[in-house]
Amino acid sequence: MATHAATHDDHDAKPSFAQRWLFTTNHKDIGTLYLVFSLIMFFIGGSMAMIIRAELFEPGLQLVQPYFFNEMTTMHALVMIFGAVMPAFVGLANWMIPLMVGAPDMALPRLNNWSFWILPFAFVLLLSTLFMPGGAPAAGWVMYPPLVLQSGESLAFTIFAIHLMGISSIMGAINIIATILNLRAPGMDLLKMPLFVWTWLITAFLLIAVMPVLAGAVTMLLTDKFFGTSFFNAAGGGDPLLYQHIFWFFGHPEVYIMILPAFGIISEIIPTFSRKPLFGYKPMVYATASIAFLSFIVWAHHMFTVGLPLGGLLFFMYATMLISVPTGVKVFNWVTTMWKGSITFETPMLFAVAFVILFTIGGFSGVMLALVPADFQYHNTYFVVAHFHYVLVSGAVFAIMAAVYYWIPKWTGHMYSERWGRIHFWNSVIAVNVLFFPQHFLGLAGMPRRIPDYNVAFADWNMVSSIGGFWFGLSQLIFVGNIVYTVYFARQKASARVWEGARGLEWTVPSPAPHHTFEVPPVIMPGMLAHDDVSH
Amino acid sequence: MAQQQGAYYVPHGSKWPIVGAVGMFAFMWGAAHWINGNELEGHISIAIGAAIILTMLFGWFGTVIRESNGGTYNKQVDLSFRLGMMWFIFSEVMFFAAFFGALFYTRGLSVPWLGGEGHGAITNYYLWRGYTAAWPTNGPLDIGGAFHTIPAWGVPLLNTLILLSSGVTITVAHHALKAGYRKQLLVFLGFTILLGVSFLWFQAHEYIEAYTHLNLTLHSGIYGSTFFMLTGFHGLHVTLGTIMLIVIWLRCAKGDFSKDSHFGFEAVAWYWHFVDIVWVMLFLFVYVL
């Protein structure tokens, strides 16, 4: 163990609760803060989804007013994207990246604390709009003008909240890049890094590249509404479509920001429980980079029906379909990793396998949506809703849950309840399909999204979908229960390696991981890394 | 502040990050209230937020400077700072890219479409008949009324020369710092500050001219929007850069920087060059072309 520099001796004295959690520079504490915040937001956003599904349980208006319904769809998306999924991945990155690369902490620990503490305040700003005259933003999370410019007091609050979230994300991403590029232990070459680290490196690049663009887009909304500019006003020579272009230049890479770390997690879990090294490590890295590159040149596939020139439609259609190549490489490699492995199905592996299957379904419907003539039919229907919930819920969210089950023994030193983990999994995986699969049918039959009432022809599948929704929502209480159990009540101690097939530096430190790890760079021994024989 | 050979450095906890977060919240909360017309609450909250943020900046930078002068940091920390600053500047580049994108898109595509080019013919015929695409424009409805633009070869050219020279003077100052010529360092860094201030003075003069004589305002359709948002955000960055230069000048005068350890200076120099390059792009695409 290193002798501490005199300046941080106060780590060893027991800090007060406030000192520990408010002023912390410890990546594990900050990771925990992110994860807890994300879980709270997951339930806030989830309750909004429950309101949506309750209203859609039957045709007609039963529970809420249409405007409030629109507030719910808008806020559900903003809360889930910026409050639940992104902070969860940043929390996992905080906990695991320093452990995985053999670093003592993140490269810029105080900046790290700042990135986190901006978030709760940003969400106070955003959620406060629910109680304002005129209500919360209701023009969809994409905030298209001119509709969004008709918002009441909420618009300015929403825009400033997004600015704060962007600042938080950018600083978090800078920190992750600096950590990965600068704090790797000697011998942890770039092409020996765990896939989770690789996918986060690329995700962080995407974040820094596109969050400022979103800031620019919403700033233009702000000046158009309050300061008399004409960016999105055709009468002044602007163009409402300009907003959509800028927004989706952010928005499409944003989609990959929410899935690339999930790819990384799945690429950690599947080899562990298949007891085989990851098949095609380098192709996985290159595929991730290709997906990130392509994400910058496909944005207009969100805008096929707005009246783009034909050349534009063709370019964005083909570019979009190209993404299925590197994504296909990934799915192929995951399946091939499992091939002839001696597989066991603990909860993380169950979620990982479900991820591969269900994410692929979301990928297929994505290819369907990429076809311009087909998209003319699907656009703005429930088919789109089904598509992105397959990739985001049974994709990103399942990966996060897999990650929590996979790493919580390392975090707490205790095993979660495998029995309740499996109960949580089976309820979730069945419910998520009951919830979202019928939405494909609804969409293909022509039911538009973002409406509180619908034709009676859509009644049956909506009821099925709503039942699935409540079921999925309730199942997540099991998840919380299992986490609380593991943290406070579990008896069964976890070993340092936790999982028989686990490889990598994070498994060389004891469970629970001590408050400070790798204060001196670890000496990497043969067989410690998962990918130390990639060169041949 | 001895550190074990080869050991990593991890800074101790700090109250400044969360203080900063509270300040940003108060500032944004106030800004939103002010924009919605609640002037008093807005102003009070903005003032409180700004005060907290300033306190945080002084406190946080003060801590870092003290730690740095105390020899707490090693080469690895230095590289983390460098990576942090580089990627921060990259994020700034992307912020400007959004506004340049708006300029290129409207000039190159949507204004011609409004004028009836390509698939815009029918829209033009039914909605905006008689509008012919041109640049500069304030759109078919002449939003903000007729206006004149600022000629590129007057003040903007002067400002280009000013900023480019400031890029030279800060480089001379950097070389002086590395060679240990203290007086030359202070003089040339001082020149850089003066050039920054004079740029801002001319820019302010240009804005006043635009508003009072040319009727070129933020309300002047898409031209006014792109012109003022691009030059305005750039001016804001020059202002920040100038403040940073002043801080660095004071630190140089105090002797905070050594020949081979002066990242604070370099970070400001990088930022200044970034602001410089953005201006060259602005001069080219906003004023000349």
Side-chain angles (χ1 to χ4, degrees):
Chain A
M1 280 295 122
T3 50
H4 292 178
T7 42
H8 60 114
D9 267 349
D10 55 345
H11 279 315
D12 297 331
K14 265 271 175 266
S16 71
F17 182 85
Q19 273 178 332
R20 167 156 184 200
W21 294 105
L22 301 186
F23 306 157
T24 179
T25 44
N26 183 286
H27 72 103
K28 301 181 184 82
D29 285 350
I30 296 173
T32 305
L33 287 171
Y34 265 112
L35 289 170
V36 170
F37 174 78
S38 151
L39 191 63
I40 295 169
M41 285 297 143
F42 181 60
F43 277 89
I44 294 178
S47 4
M48 293 168 177
M50 294 301 107
I51 295 172
I52 293 168
R53 280 324 313 172
E55 177 55 49
L56 294 173
F57 189 74
E58 282 178 344
L61 291 174
Q62 286 88 22
L63 294 172
V64 296
Q65 293 302 307
Y67 192 84
F68 184 74
F69 183 90
N70 291 341
E71 291 176 33
M72 287 295 101
T73 52
T74 305
M75 293 294 272
H76 164 71
L78 288 171
V79 168
M80 286 302 201
I81 292 169
F82 294 105
V85 173
M86 288 167 67
F89 283 131
V90 181
L92 294 168
N94 257 296
W95 250 104
M96 299 318 298
I97 287 176
L99 288 180
M100 286 177 150
V101 301
D105 204 299
M106 299 294 279
L108 303 159
R110 289 181 188 143
L111 191 75
N112 199 17
N113 187 26
W114 199 18
S115 308
F116 171 75
W117 277 109
I118 289 170
L119 269 188
F121 291 108
F123 276 86
V124 169
L125 268 185
L126 182 66
L127 293 171
S128 70
T129 59
L130 282 165
F131 309 102
M132 278 175 192
W141 81 281
V142 295
M143 299 171 288
Y144 285 174
L147 181 61
V148 78
L149 298 179
Q150 298 165 20
S151 306
E153 296 214 342
S154 66
L155 186 67
F157 286 88
T158 310
I159 287 172
F160 290 139
I162 288 172
H163 280 143
L164 288 182
M165 295 169 204
I167 293 169
S168 161
S169 289
I170 290 166
M171 295 196 304
I174 287 174
N175 216 336
I176 287 169
I177 291 191
T179 307
I180 298 174
L181 294 185
N182 192 28
L183 260 60
R184 276 172 291 124
M188 176 63 78
D189 305 341
L190 281 176
L191 278 172
K192 289 182 181 175
M193 294 195 309
L195 244 282
F196 180 67
V197 180
W198 255 113
T199 52
W200 243 118
L201 179 64
I202 291 165
T203 303
F205 168 74
L206 290 181
L207 275 168
I208 304 176
V210 301
M211 292 309 290
V213 176
L214 173 66
V218 295
T219 303
M220 291 180 214
L221 284 180
L222 190 79
T223 57
D224 263 21
K225 166 95 174 171
F226 297 104
F227 298 99
T229 58
S230 299
F231 286 108
F232 311 130
N233 176 10
D239 185 355
L241 285 187
L242 168 62
Y243 175 83
Q244 299 189 18
H245 282 293
I246 303 175
F247 179 85
W248 285 113
F249 183 84
F250 145 79
H252 203 79
E254 168 69 16
V255 172
Y256 295 119
I257 287 165
M258 291 190 286
I259 204 64
L260 292 184
F263 288 171
I265 291 164
I266 301 306
S267 307
E268 299 298 325
I269 292 176
I270 288 183
T272 293
F273 295 97
S274 305
R275 289 159 183 81
K276 270 180 67 193
L278 183 71
F279 180 85
Y281 169 81
K282 276 188 189 171
M284 285 301 234
V285 173
Y286 300 147
T288 311
S290 317
I291 292 172
F293 168 72
L294 289 172
S295 76
F296 286 106
I297 53 164
V298 297
W299 76 86
H301 67 215
H302 297 269
M303 306 163 56
F304 280 157
T305 60
V306 301
L308 297 178
L310 182 64
L313 293 176
L314 288 173
F315 171 79
F316 284 106
M317 173 169 77
Y318 288 124
T320 303
M321 289 199 289
L322 209 53
I323 296 178
S324 58
V325 176
T327 316
V329 168
K330 285 187 165 289
V331 174
F332 180 84
N333 286 0
W334 289 324
V335 173
T336 317
T337 304
M338 287 186 268
W339 178 255
K340 292 192 172 173
S342 71
I343 307 178
T344 49
F345 292 96
E346 285 87 347
T347 311
M349 184 62 168
L350 287 172
F351 273 104
V353 173
F355 172 96
V356 175
I357 296 166
L358 298 178
F359 176 81
T360 304
I361 292 178
F364 285 148
S365 56
V367 176
M368 292 167 73
L369 287 162
L371 303 166
V372 171
D375 184 71
F376 284 1
Q377 311 300 315
Y378 306 149
H379 188 87
N380 223 19
T381 68
Y382 256 84
F383 191 79
V384 178
V385 179
H387 158 70
F388 68 71
H389 281 97
Y390 261 87
V391 289
L392 279 177
V393 182
S394 53
V397 173
F398 269 29
I400 292 164
M401 287 170 177
V404 170
Y405 283 114
Y406 185 55
W407 284 317
I408 206 171
K410 176 56 64 191
W411 302 337
T412 64
H414 294 283
M415 292 306 289
Y416 60 87
S417 160
E418 186 62 47
R419 177 190 164 83
W420 283 99
R422 284 173 201 220
I423 293 173
H424 171 223
F425 168 75
W426 285 110
N427 276 284
S428 297
V429 78
I430 297 169
V432 87
N433 283 291
V434 176
L435 165 57
F436 293 120
F437 210 82
Q439 295 183 0
H440 290 116
F441 313 145
L442 289 168
L444 293 177
M447 177 170 160
R449 61 193 282 212
R450 292 179 176 144
I451 50 155
D453 186 12
Y454 49 84
N455 191 306
V456 287
F458 306 127
D460 294 349
W461 285 122
N462 266 300
M463 193 176 283
V464 172
S465 177
S466 287
I467 291 169
F470 304 140
W471 184 3
F472 184 80
L474 286 174
S475 309
Q476 302 325 307
L477 298 176
I478 308 173
F479 182 49
V480 180
N482 212 340
I483 292 172
V484 171
Y485 166 81
T486 317
V487 174
Y488 294 107
F489 305 105
R491 291 280 169 77
Q492 194 193 338
K493 294 257 188 276
S495 66
R497 188 168 293 282
V498 183
W499 311 106
E500 184 191 25
R503 291 286 177 279
L505 291 181
E506 72 271 34
W507 307 109
T508 63
V509 300
S511 306
H515 205 54
H516 295 280
T517 37
F518 299 130
E519 283 168 293
V520 284
V523 179
I524 296 173
M525 301 298 200
M528 264 189 183
L529 303 184
H531 313 292
D532 54 358
D533 55 348
V534 287
S535 48
H536 52 72
Chain B
M1 225 132 295
Q3 253 190 291
Q4 182 176 316
Q5 201 59 33
Y8 286 122
Y9 169 74
V10 179
H12 61 83
S14 165
K15 63 177 178 290
W16 296 117
I18 192 164
V19 169
V22 171
M24 288 161 86
F25 172 73
F27 188 89
M28 291 303 203
W29 178 263
H33 274 283
W34 166 68
I35 270 181
N36 281 321
N38 307 327
E39 304 259 333
L40 187 64
E41 297 98 308
H43 287 159
I44 292 172
S45 191
I46 288 177
I48 294 173
I52 298 176
I53 292 172
L54 279 176
T55 314
M56 177 273 286
L57 286 174
F58 273 99
W60 195 335
F61 276 108
T63 311
V64 171
I65 291 168
R66 265 195 310 281
E67 287 172 357
S68 173
N69 289 347
T72 316
Y73 298 159
N74 54 27
K75 282 262 179 282
Q76 194 168 34
V77 175
D78 188 67
L79 183 56
S80 289
F81 285 168
R82 278 165 203 280
L83 286 165
M85 190 67 195
M86 270 166 52
W87 287 100
F88 167 66
I89 290 175
F90 175 61
S91 80
E92 292 269 49
V93 169
M94 292 309 292
F95 182 75
F96 277 97
F99 289 89
F100 273 108
L103 175 68
F104 298 150
Y105 175 84
T106 47
R107 274 190 80 163
L109 293 170
S110 71
V111 167
W113 287 338
L114 276 179
E117 198 179 278
H119 68 291
I122 293 172
T123 318
N124 176 263
Y125 183 81
Y126 284 108
L127 289 178
W128 313 116
R129 198 176 308 178
Y131 176 68
T132 32
W135 192 267
T137 181
N138 53 356
L141 286 196
D142 201 27
I143 300 282
F147 64 91
H148 296 282
T149 58
I150 289 164
W153 305 110
V155 174
L157 176 65
L158 181 64
N159 263 348
T160 310
L161 295 175
I162 287 174
L163 273 196
L164 288 177
S165 324
S166 76
V168 175
T169 55
I170 199 168
T171 308
V172 174
H174 191 195
H175 282 288
L177 173 56
K178 283 200 283 194
Y181 302 145
R182 203 176 130 75
K183 196 170 168 201
Q184 197 188 354
L185 161 68
L186 289 175
V187 168
F188 274 87
L189 197 53
F191 276 147
T192 316
I193 296 170
L194 285 181
L195 288 168
V197 171
S198 38
F199 174 91
L200 287 169
W201 193 83
F202 282 120
Q203 184 81 358
H205 175 79
E206 190 187 76
Y207 273 21
I208 294 168
E209 174 76 8
Y211 264 77
T212 51
H213 295 119
L214 304 175
N215 192 34
L216 171 60
T217 72
L218 202 53
H219 299 257
S220 302
I222 189 64
Y223 184 84
S225 307
T226 49
F227 175 82
F228 280 105
M229 293 302 278
L230 275 165
T231 57
F233 271 119
H234 176 263
L236 196 67
H237 282 75
V238 175
T239 311
L240 281 175
T242 308
I243 294 170
M244 284 153 69
L245 285 170
I246 293 169
V247 172
I248 290 303
W249 191 90
L250 292 171
R251 289 190 63 191
C252 286
K254 261 183 74 183
D256 264 1
F257 297 124
S258 69
K259 281 180 193 177
D260 38 31
S261 168
H262 47 263
F263 171 66
F265 183 99
E266 286 172 283
V268 175
W270 293 352
Y271 192 80
W272 194 252
H273 287 307
F274 149 71
V275 166
D276 200 356
I277 290 165
V278 172
W279 175 261
V280 173
M281 302 284 288
L282 279 176
F283 181 62
L284 214 59
F285 292 111
V286 175
Y287 291 97
V288 176
L289 296 174

